[in-house]
Every structure is written in structure tokens, then in C-alpha cells.
Amino acid sequence: MAVKLVLFILLLAWLIKASSPTSSSMSKPECQDMCGNVVIPYPFGIGAGCYMDPFEVFCDESSLPHKPYIGSINLELLEVSLEGTVRVNNSVLSSNCQDKAPTADVSLSGSPFSFSDTRNWFTALGCGNLALIHSQDMVIGGCVSICNKTVKKRSCNGINCCQITIPPDLKFINATFIRISASQDHKECKVAFMVDKEWFQSSLIDRYRVLDYVPVVLEWGISDGTCIDWSQRNSTGGYSTDLCGTSAYCSNKIGIYYGCSCYEGYEGNPYLSCQGNSSAKLI
Ligand SMILES: *[C@@H]1O[C@H](CO)[C@@H](O)[C@H](O)[C@H]1NC(C)=O
Ligand SMILES: *[C@@H]1O[C@H](CO)[C@@H](O)[C@H](O)[C@H]1NC(C)=O
Ligand SMILES: *[C@@H]1O[C@H](CO)[C@@H](O)[C@H](O)[C@H]1NC(C)=O
Ligand SMILES: *[C@@H]1O[C@H](CO)[C@@H](O)[C@H](O)[C@H]1NC(C)=O
Ligand SMILES: *[C@@H]1O[C@H](CO)[C@@H](O)[C@H](O)[C@H]1NC(C)=O
């Protein structure tokens, strides 16, 4: 009995050890791999030597759970996907809201991040409004929400709430609100925001409650299409430093950005190293 138990524990320990290379290889060796509940895979990283520029993450340890922030854009990081997206916590744009602090406009210009056009909606809550989206000085879209206080549906289909898709590669948005029905209380609080479609559809948020922060999906990439580190020259003066890891290649995954992917049949972190899949390894 005792022997069986020891064998079982040994088997368990071996299984845990066998499965650990893929799970622990997401960050660089010796680097903090999580901040709070968020996994921080390379090229994102915390501390010197742990990230690829400009994907430095700061871990704010003053709150519980700890909160990671992407340094270059100063937004709270909720989730990283090595497929070329991150989910961040973004404040809503508001007008006439008494108890809300004016929100800082988010600008992604100069960073390798942009709002995902396929994964987000521009959403405006309000009654009898035309909400216009601006990017720099240009109006790039807008939507109208008709007022009807008796409708209490949670859907967002033009009554008290409207949604539209955004153009690709956007790095900045702001919103203005134009009142379209004279009878409405123009002092009403109005908000607009970019929001992760999936979150908006699945969450049971009260569409009429004014939110302060919503998750938004950004696309990211490491390069212009070569995945070569132009800051590193080799001994003969050429550039040979590939930013992708072993068994990985440079691919145009999402939007305008290039990133690394594991070759087929390999898995792991394509920015560090990809391994033949675990079934192959156990044989
Ligand atoms: C977003 O940030 C706000 C303000 O810091 C915070 O209250 C909220 O919990 C955050 N949301 C998520 C999903 O972390
Ligand atoms: C508001 O919606 C209710 C229910 O759909 C409808 O009966 C009513 O006519 C609408 N009111 C206006 C002003 O459109
Ligand atoms: C955003 O729009 C508001 C008005 O809706 C304006 O007051 C503010 O200055 C704009 N911010 C930027 C950075 O353009
Ligand atoms: C340096 O880079 C050039 C251009 O990519 C390459 O042809 C050459 O083999 C590299 N030399 C070394 C020593 O890596
Ligand atoms: C491992 O890779 C092989 C070849 O690409 C594939 O057929 C197999 O389904 C993979 N197994 C797992 C568990 O991913």
C-alpha cells in the first residue's frame, strides 16, 4: 500500500515535471512570469533583460491582486495573446457626467499597438444622441441612439445604446456628442467607449449603468515584416539577429503587424523557443 502511494507520488511528480517546460517557458528564464493573475509571456516582461523593447511591463504591487501595466502606453494589461493581441483596461469617454473624473485620451501613436477593428465595437450609451468618433482631427464614424426610457432591454441596437465597427489601424480615438432630440434632457451623462465585443456580449452589465472602465482589445506586433533586430549588427557588419525563437518563423498574423509563430507541429513561445509537441516528446 505504502509502496503504491510512493509510486503514485513519484508518477505525479514526474507528470508535473514533464508538463512544466511548456508552461514555464512563456517568460525568459529567471524572469517573473506573472503579475497578479496575469501571465506575462515574452516579448512582454517585467524588469531589465526580461522584455523585448517596447514591451516592458510594470507590476503595480500596491493593490491586491497586483496589476500589470504596459509601460509604453500606460494601460493596465488584462491578458496577453501571443497570436498578436492584448486585452487592456481602458477608461470610457464621457460628457456631462457629474461624478466622473475627466478621462485621459488614450494615444497609441508611436507604439506598436492599435485598436483591433475586428474584436472591438465603438459603443455609445445615451438618449437621443449622435456620438461621433474622432481620430486626431477627423471624424471617422458615428452612431445614433434613439431615446426610449421605457425600453429596458440589455441589447444595444440603436435604442439608448448604439454600436458600430471601427476602421483598422486606429491609434487614437475621442468622441463628441450631439443632441438630436430637443425634448431630451441635454444635461444627461453620456459615455462612449471602444469595447471588446466578446466581453460586451457575454457580460451581464447593466447597459444603463455608467461604467468607468471597459476591456478593449489591441493588436500588437514586433516588426515591419522582417522580424530582424535592426539594432544588432553581427561581427561582419550584417544583420542576422532573428527576433523569433527556435523552430519559429516571422508571420503577418494580425492587422499591419508581424510577429512570430511556431512551425506546424511545434508549440511553445515562438519568441523564445518552440518544441515538438508533447506527445512526440513522451515517445
Ligand atoms: C480597471 O481599472 C479600474 C480602475 O483602476 C478598476 O477599478 C477595475 O477593477 C479594472 N478592471 C479590471 C477588469 O481589472
Ligand atoms: C418606446 O418603446 C415602447 C416599447 O417598445 C413603445 O411602446 C413606445 O411607443 C416607444 N416610445 C417611443 C417614444 O418611441
Ligand atoms: C476630446 O474631445 C473633447 C470634446 O468632446 C475635447 O474637449 C478634448 O479636448 C478632446 N481631446 C483631444 C485630445 O483631442
Ligand atoms: C552577418 O549577417 C549577414 C547578413 O544577414 C550574414 O550573411 C552573415 O552570415 C552574418 N555573419 C555572422 C558571423 O553571423
Ligand atoms: C503532434 O503533432 C503531430 C504532427 O503535427 C499531430 O499530428 C498531433 O496531433 C500532435 N499532437 C498533439 C497532442 O498536439
Side-chain angles (χ1 to χ4, degrees):
M1 184 67 199
V3 172
K4 269 189 183 165
L5 190 68
V6 168
L7 279 178
F8 176 74
I9 289 168
L10 281 176
L11 179 68
L12 206 64
W14 178 77
L15 281 175
I16 290 166
K17 200 162 190 286
S19 64
S20 66
T22 32
S23 54
S24 69
S25 67
M26 286 298 156
S27 304
K28 274 194 150 182
E30 318 289 314
C31 293
Q32 188 178 336
D33 58 357
M34 289 190 84
C35 172
N37 304 319
V38 184
V39 175
I40 313 291
Y42 187 76
F44 292 82
I46 300 164
C50 290
Y51 60 90
M52 188 190 292
D53 210 33
F55 300 102
E56 182 167 18
V57 171
F58 296 97
C59 190
D60 177 3
E61 300 187 345
S62 68
S63 59
L64 265 179
H66 298 169
K67 288 181 173 185
Y69 286 83
I70 302 175
S72 58
I73 51 176
N74 197 27
L75 289 174
E76 184 191 341
L77 181 59
L78 303 174
E79 188 183 8
V80 178
S81 162
L82 291 179
E83 305 274 296
T85 59
V86 286
R87 188 180 281 141
V88 296
N89 189 12
N90 194 19
S91 60
V92 306
L93 301 158
S94 66
S95 169
N96 275 333
C97 303
Q98 303 291 305
D99 51 353
K100 286 172 85 70
T103 49
D105 301 291
V106 170
S107 177
L108 307 175
S109 58
S111 81
F113 294 95
S114 55
F115 292 107
S116 169
D117 58 319
T118 54
R119 302 266 308 269
N120 298 306
W121 266 314
F122 173 79
T123 303
L125 302 183
C127 187
N129 287 317
L130 166 61
L132 297 175
I133 328 174
H134 303 251
S135 188
Q136 316 299 7
D137 296 331
M138 279 192 312
V139 173
I140 54 162
C143 67
V144 168
S145 56
I146 305 297
C147 193
N148 189 331
K149 299 262 185 196
T150 66
V151 175
K152 293 285 178 222
K153 279 189 302 192
R154 285 184 188 276
S155 60
C156 184
N157 55 8
I159 312 247
N160 308 323
C161 177
C162 64
Q163 272 178 335
I164 51 164
T165 53
I166 56 158
D169 310 329
L170 266 193
K171 286 187 174 276
F172 174 83
I173 62 152
N174 197 1
T176 49
F177 300 91
I178 297 168
R179 190 157 49 102
I180 53 161
S181 49
S183 60
Q184 302 311 323
D185 177 5
H186 64 278
K187 293 226 167 64
E188 188 193 55
C189 170
K190 303 166 186 73
V191 300
F193 45 86
M194 293 274 250
V195 64
D196 177 3
K197 285 182 183 180
E198 212 175 279
W199 179 85
F200 192 86
Q201 275 170 331
S202 65
S203 67
L204 292 173
I205 57 160
D206 180 351
R207 303 276 184 257
Y208 304 98
R209 209 192 80 217
V210 176
L211 302 160
D212 291 321
Y213 286 84
V214 291
V216 61
V217 179
L218 308 180
E219 296 172 352
W220 62 272
I222 57 162
S223 87
D224 55 2
T226 57
C227 299
I228 283 173
D229 184 354
W230 297 109
S231 68
Q232 301 289 324
R233 274 169 186 268
N234 69 18
S235 53
T236 56
Y239 300 95
S240 61
T241 316
D242 190 344
L243 294 170
C244 297
T246 48
S247 306
Y249 64 101
C250 192
S251 62
N252 181 208
K253 271 191 302 258
I254 191 157
I256 54 173
Y257 298 113
Y258 283 79
C260 305
S261 298
C262 289
Y263 285 123
E264 217 182 314
Y266 287 78
E267 54 191 38
N269 184 332
Y271 296 91
L272 293 172
S273 74
C274 302
Q275 298 89 31
N277 66 26
S278 44
S279 68
K281 250 177 25 189
L282 287 179
I283 293 163

